[in-house]
Amino acid sequence: MTNPIFFGDPEQVAAAVPGGVFALTGPEARHAVAVKRLAPGEAVDIVDGGGLRLRGTVRSADAALLEVDIRDIETEPAAGQELILVQALAKGDRDEQAIEAATELGVDTVIPWQSDRSIVRWRADKAAKGRAKWQAVVTSAAKQSRRSRLPKVLEVTDSKALLGKLAGVDLVLVLHEEADAPFAQVIDSIRRDQATGSVDADQRLSIAVIVGPEGGISPAELGALRASGATAVRLGPHVLRSSSAGPAALVLLNHLLGRWS
């Protein structure tokens, strides 16, 4: 069984050494003691959110402080691809369900998208609150799945600004029920290009998956995305909810790209 993880201050995690003692304080310490009920002698990991992991054993625990004897330190390399989820704002917390599952499935970056047909709107101060809430959901999911790397949640974007944010992404896939290209076929073509050398196999590709809201992606949005180089793809014969489409695509990416092999 893997050890429970908690996020430490990145500078303090970077300064830690094997054989030393790490002092975890603040909300993370309270969660470790009051919620997880960690006690002296139990194994625990402290991570910095960027791939650095301290493995150790609880030395002492109280309401405001968790002291950990550091046994060893490791840096976990980033996966060969950067996975980006562009998730349209959706009602009924379906968007939060999507990003929670996406985090557990290995997403690296989440972009909240206020699409033309999004019923939910993040305006003014609500944008900052919405982003903070999404980051809390992502952080909790990262702890649940024992990830050492914490996904980033970017600022909410509208359809016009989204094109600029995706300008440097290697492959942009728009999940759309009327698309002709099967999702798996597009990913297989990338693997073939890497195998034949037409694409550098050592290059860290960035792949974005775009998921629309309940009402779907508008024709104007789809046209603009295609004009910018995005590819419309379909996952299968059925229409998935906004909460499940992104996670389903990430499962396929993990499998087809060999991330889970």
Side-chain angles (χ1 to χ4, degrees):
M1 183 177 179
T2 57
N3 299 333
I5 71 158
F6 297 92
F7 291 100
D9 177 85
E11 292 186 3
Q12 293 180 344
V13 175
V17 295
V21 178
F22 187 88
L24 184 69
T25 59
E28 286 292 91
R30 288 192 291 273
H31 185 248
V33 178
V35 179
K36 292 296 186 181
R37 305 283 185 177
L38 292 186
E42 293 189 81
V44 66
D45 291 354
I46 307 296
V47 300
D48 69 343
L52 190 60
R53 183 185 296 264
L54 313 180
R55 299 188 184 277
T57 305
V58 175
R59 167 181 285 211
S60 65
D62 62 39
L65 174 66
L66 184 80
E67 289 188 319
V68 178
D69 289 320
I70 304 169
R71 183 178 68 256
D72 56 67
I73 301 174
E74 66 179 62
T75 300
E76 299 175 0
Q81 306 82 21
E82 178 191 8
L83 302 185
I84 303 165
L85 174 63
V86 179
Q87 177 65 49
L89 304 185
K91 63 181 181 179
D93 295 334
R94 294 195 184 279
D95 46 15
E96 293 177 20
Q97 294 174 33
I99 64 171
E100 179 181 55
T103 300
E104 296 173 5
L105 294 166
V107 77
D108 297 292
T109 303
V110 174
I111 302 178
W113 176 32
Q114 189 163 281
S115 67
D116 291 349
R117 293 177 175 175
S118 288
I119 296 174
V120 175
R121 295 280 159 176
W122 287 2
R123 294 188 176 92
D125 62 334
K126 194 172 182 180
K129 292 179 180 178
R131 182 186 182 189
K133 188 175 182 181
W134 277 32
Q135 187 65 64
V137 170
V138 163
T139 300
S140 178
K143 291 171 70 173
Q144 166 66 32
S145 52
R146 315 291 167 88
R147 291 184 57 171
S148 66
R149 294 181 178 274
L150 181 63
K152 298 174 293 185
V153 177
L154 305 187
E155 293 182 357
V156 65
T157 183
D158 59 20
S159 296
K160 182 178 180 180
L162 179 62
L163 300 178
K165 287 190 176 182
L166 297 177
V169 177
D170 296 307
L171 179 63
V172 179
L173 303 174
V174 185
L175 303 187
H176 199 278
E177 60 186 291
E178 297 179 1
D180 294 325
F183 187 95
Q185 179 179 304
V186 175
I187 302 304
D188 280 342
S189 68
I190 294 176
R191 298 189 67 182
R192 286 195 298 271
D193 289 343
Q194 289 181 323
T196 58
S198 56
V199 173
D200 187 356
D202 295 327
Q203 176 187 353
R204 188 170 191 249
L205 295 176
S206 53
I207 303 174
V209 175
I210 301 180
V211 179
E214 301 90 332
I217 297 172
S218 72
E221 289 171 325
L222 182 60
L225 287 165
R226 278 175 160 161
S228 69
T231 302
V233 294
R234 53 180 171 80
L235 286 172
H238 305 126
V239 177
L240 302 181
R241 290 184 183 273
S242 182
S243 57
S244 56
L250 289 170
V251 168
L252 278 174
L253 282 172
N254 281 316
H255 173 66
L256 295 171
L257 295 173
R259 290 163 59 101
W260 284 354
S261 61

